[in-house]
Amino acid sequence: MLALSHLAPRKAFLRYTNLQVVICLAIGYFVSMIVAAIYLGAFSQDAYIASKVGDSISRDFIRERNAAIGMPLVTVYAIICNYYLFTRARTCLFSFLNHNHVAKTQKWVIYTIARKTWLNLKISFVFGLGVTLTYLYAEGLLVTDALSESPSIIVFLNVSAVPFWSFSVLLVLQLIFITRFVIKHFLEKEKIGMFGSKKLQPISDLVISNVVITAFFIALFPLFWMGKEIPNIDKVITLFVFVALSLFLLRPVMKVHNFIATQKSQSIERINKAIFVAFAERQDKKRRLTDNPERLSQLSSLINLKHEINSVSSWPIDLPQGIKGIAVASTIPLSWAIGSIIESLISQFF
């Protein structure tokens, strides 16, 4: 009871909060941050014109403008995805428990996810605060006099950087945790069978959802490059991070694929040996297969079983999931086009 008591506030929050409420709160946060940025001059028309004619403030203005758009948008996305990831993991794992004989309970699943989420939340906020304070220290803004003399927009952006870094890091930590949690507790070898891929459908759904979340998360970061020439090294780093994180998130699918492929290979090898033995006995005794109906029936069963095993897919992902994965792969290149569209809209209305 003592171990569960500290989870009571979090369980109450989850009970009375749904995704729609979280989305509304997140959108409210985004709107308020944009309004505050406009009020503080992040989209000042004079500064924008000066940046176009090559004034010395152009670089600082573009950086502040991009941060005023990018940080709240990424923060809102991370907030929504963190809550969605929690509920999605709970739903998929509960479905997996209902379709499989696993020695785990729904109460244990929700307790473990909630406990680890709370820990990751603490770590991410400490990290976000640490990054912000480090930047302020590096810029010499931690001194009270320097902070009071700084432009309001600079102070505002540094304050908004705390939730930006915190929820972004929390999303990455949660994606890693959920993936490791699934591999460790739900994909034991004895629970994976060649003909049981449908029972793994909830795990596959969860994996694909995580990859989709990651793809759109990475695709938002080019917003910070609007109005600037994107360095090739930044493009390479962005694609590398996306590929590396996606490969890690796909580990549950790869583990199932490798195990089922191994099972298929071993089963087919045993069947081939049995068929070879049947033919070898026929040749030794110089008899036709039709002379022994029992042997003929056994051989026919082996051939049918081999055909059935060959037809089994070793991938626990169906066609709709595969199409979804292909769509995800196109999000990163499209993000540069989206950034250009947003930049043109800003130049038109501000």
Side-chain angles (χ1 to χ4, degrees):
M1 292 296 294
L2 184 61
L4 294 173
S5 61
H6 70 285
L7 289 175
R10 280 159 269 164
K11 291 171 70 176
F13 171 78
L14 292 171
R15 186 181 300 116
Y16 298 110
T17 308
N18 54 40
L19 184 60
Q20 289 76 15
V21 174
V22 173
I23 291 175
C24 290
L25 292 174
I27 292 175
Y29 170 82
F30 176 75
V31 172
S32 63
M33 295 297 286
I34 292 296
V35 171
I38 293 173
Y39 175 77
L40 294 173
F43 306 100
S44 170
Q45 188 173 7
D46 294 337
Y48 182 78
I49 294 173
S51 69
K52 284 294 185 181
V53 299
D55 192 271
S56 59
I57 68 170
S58 62
R59 183 175 299 178
D60 291 338
F61 166 75
I62 292 174
R63 183 179 64 178
E64 293 166 8
R65 182 202 64 183
N66 293 350
I69 299 172
M71 285 199 296
L73 188 58
V74 173
T75 302
V76 165
Y77 179 81
I79 291 172
I80 295 173
C81 286
N82 274 306
Y83 183 83
Y84 174 78
L85 179 60
F86 184 94
T87 56
R88 181 67 172 168
R90 180 180 59 187
T91 301
C92 290
L93 294 180
F94 282 6
S95 177
F96 180 83
L97 292 176
N98 292 333
H99 290 86
N100 296 270
H101 301 290
V102 182
K104 304 286 189 303
T105 63
Q106 293 185 357
K107 183 179 293 186
W108 175 85
V109 170
I110 196 68
Y111 167 73
T112 305
I113 296 177
R115 179 174 57 83
K116 188 63 177 180
T117 299
W118 184 244
L119 176 61
N120 287 340
L121 185 63
K122 294 177 182 177
I123 294 173
S124 61
F125 268 92
V126 170
F127 181 87
L129 185 61
V131 169
T132 303
L133 292 177
T134 301
Y135 178 81
L136 291 173
Y137 175 78
E139 295 293 323
L141 298 177
L142 278 181
V143 182
T144 306
D145 294 339
L147 191 60
S148 61
E149 294 174 0
S150 299
S152 299
I153 186 63
I154 298 298
V155 178
F156 169 77
L157 291 176
N158 279 285
V159 171
S160 62
V162 176
F164 164 73
W165 284 110
S166 299
F167 285 105
S168 297
V169 172
L170 177 62
L171 181 58
V172 174
L173 290 178
Q174 286 294 93
L175 287 167
I176 294 173
F177 158 65
I178 293 296
T179 302
R180 296 181 62 185
F181 181 65
V182 167
I183 293 174
K184 182 177 180 180
H185 297 287
F186 294 89
L187 293 181
E188 296 93 343
K189 289 185 177 181
E190 57 271 13
K191 298 295 190 300
I192 303 174
M194 279 188 296
F195 302 100
S197 58
K198 288 186 178 180
K199 295 182 179 180
L200 298 172
Q201 191 72 32
I203 300 297
S204 301
D205 291 340
L206 179 60
V207 169
I208 296 298
S209 296
N210 291 352
V211 175
V212 171
I213 288 173
T214 303
F216 283 101
F217 178 63
I218 299 296
L220 289 175
F221 279 87
L223 290 172
F224 295 96
W225 301 329
M226 291 188 302
K228 300 188 295 184
E229 184 178 353
I230 306 175
N232 290 329
I233 186 64
D234 287 2
K235 295 180 181 179
V236 172
I237 291 175
T238 301
L239 292 175
F240 174 79
V241 170
F242 170 67
V243 172
L245 191 55
S246 298
L247 289 176
F248 176 81
L249 297 177
L250 287 170
R251 281 184 61 197
V253 171
M254 297 303 300
K255 180 177 180 178
V256 172
H257 164 69
N258 292 336
F259 189 72
I260 292 180
T262 301
Q263 283 186 325
K264 285 181 61 177
S265 177
Q266 292 174 347
S267 298
I268 291 174
E269 184 179 354
R270 288 194 294 267
I271 291 173
N272 287 336
K273 287 182 179 179
I275 293 174
F276 176 79
V277 169
F279 274 102
E281 290 181 356
R282 178 189 65 85
Q283 292 176 352
D284 291 341
K285 297 179 180 180
K286 297 181 179 180
R287 297 175 58 186
R288 295 176 299 177
L289 286 175
T290 53
D291 294 339
N292 190 338
E294 182 178 349
R295 179 73 64 182
L296 183 62
S297 175
Q298 180 185 8
L299 186 60
S300 177
S301 298
L302 289 172
I303 293 174
N304 291 334
L305 180 60
K306 181 179 179 179
H307 177 72
E308 185 178 358
I309 291 176
N310 276 323
S311 64
V312 173
S313 174
S314 59
W315 292 98
I317 297 178
D318 55 16
L319 182 60
Q321 290 176 321
I323 295 173
K324 191 185 296 183
I326 295 173
V328 166
S330 64
T331 58
I332 299 300
L334 287 177
S335 64
W336 279 276
I338 294 172
S340 300
I341 293 173
I342 294 177
E343 184 181 4
S344 65
L345 291 175
I346 292 173
S347 63
Q348 183 176 355
F349 293 103
F350 293 96

